Amino acid sequence: MTPQRYAERRERLRALMHEKQLDALFISHEANRYYLSGFELHDPQKNESSGYLLICSDGRDWLCTDSRYKDAAARLWDTERVFIYTGRSATELNTLMRQLKLGRIGFEAKSLSVSFFEQLSEEVCMERADGLVEELRVIKEPEEVERMRRSCALNHRLMEAVPAFCRPGRTEADVAWDIEKFFRENGASGLAFDSIVAVGPNAALPHAIPGADRIVENCPVLIDVGCRVDDYCSDQTRTLWVGDRPSPAFQRTMELVRAAQDAAIREIRPGMKVADVHACARKVFEDAGVEAHFTHSLGHGVGLETHEAPGVSPRVDAELKPNMIITVEPGLYYPEWGGIRWEYMVLVTEGGAEIF
């Protein structure tokens, strides 16, 4: 992305801040920081931050970080408005905001600890303003869409290679390592999330952790993986049968899962409630009497993060809009033998949906 693109995003954010009558917005969520500045997509240590942004209504925005990132910040930002803090970051940031004499300052409550906020907000007027940057991120720009196409294309190549990885005698951990190597060797900067490889009954665990369980002849293997290409994530799940004698339960479950996915994708269109998309898939399971085995939401948004807005869930009050990218991943799970999940990434278009 060009510096101009990041600046345009900040201007769009300022318009949302004006509607909320905010004089500034303190950005603490790492993906939001990157989306608005190009600075540090990840916080490598989860108990500390690579930095923050202070977006001001007058356009005089600040990039705030510590001395480790001083040179990196200077490559992206006007050094006159790079604020370098030391060990007491919250206290020093509080001093900066008081010196700027800002009025109402929004903050992202979901990504700040109570302790940090108490120091940050001393004698400063701060109020919750979650979701403003996410409101922008949910609609993907053309370049974002193309980056995600490339990420998803590599994931498709990986899935073509997966059957060769899944040989009897190999462990879940063996297959997970093959997946990570494939992604790295074929252009990914890393995994979008820790790979899920689940053999047999472990496939009934939607977020199974690859371990020492071994693939045997004639068993299911669930693979849920994603990579990061050009900073954007892919996310796909496939379930395969290793061997030539798939069980009747596996075959029937596969038919239902794929039918539920097809039913949901057929109905996707701008203006549709995400809860209704979920309901389309669930109805297939209800008609078959197996809905109790569908234990999670139908999907989620994906982009700079693997899980982002909108959640495709009966609990989410949101409508689909053109250029949203969501996953559609129905699953059915049976502790006695395993489960099946099948996942596509889908671009919402003016006329319906495009499967990546």
Side-chain angles (χ1 to χ4, degrees), residues 27 71 87 89 104 141 212 225 227 232 265 279 318 320 330 341 348:
I27 302 294
D71 292 341
S89 56
R104 298 175 63 193
E141 299 162 356
V225 295
C227 64
Y232 283 80
I265 292 174
L320 295 177
R341 183 164 69 254
V348 181

Side-chain angles (χ1 to χ4, degrees), residues 231-275:
D231 299 322
Y232 283 80
C233 298
S234 59
D235 184 7
Q236 297 181 7
T237 309
R238 301 290 184 268
T239 310
L240 61 150
W241 184 269
V242 176
D244 57 4
R245 298 191 305 277
S247 69
F250 180 89
Q251 291 176 307
R252 176 57 176 156
T253 302
M254 179 67 79
E255 291 171 1
L256 288 171
V257 167
R258 297 301 303 275
Q261 185 184 58
D262 290 345
I265 292 174
R266 279 197 307 269
E267 296 301 318
I268 287 175
R269 62 187 183 279
M272 187 177 188
K273 292 281 191 180
V274 294

Side-chain angles (χ1 to χ4, degrees), residues 21 254 349:
Q21 298 182 321
M254 179 67 79
T349 66

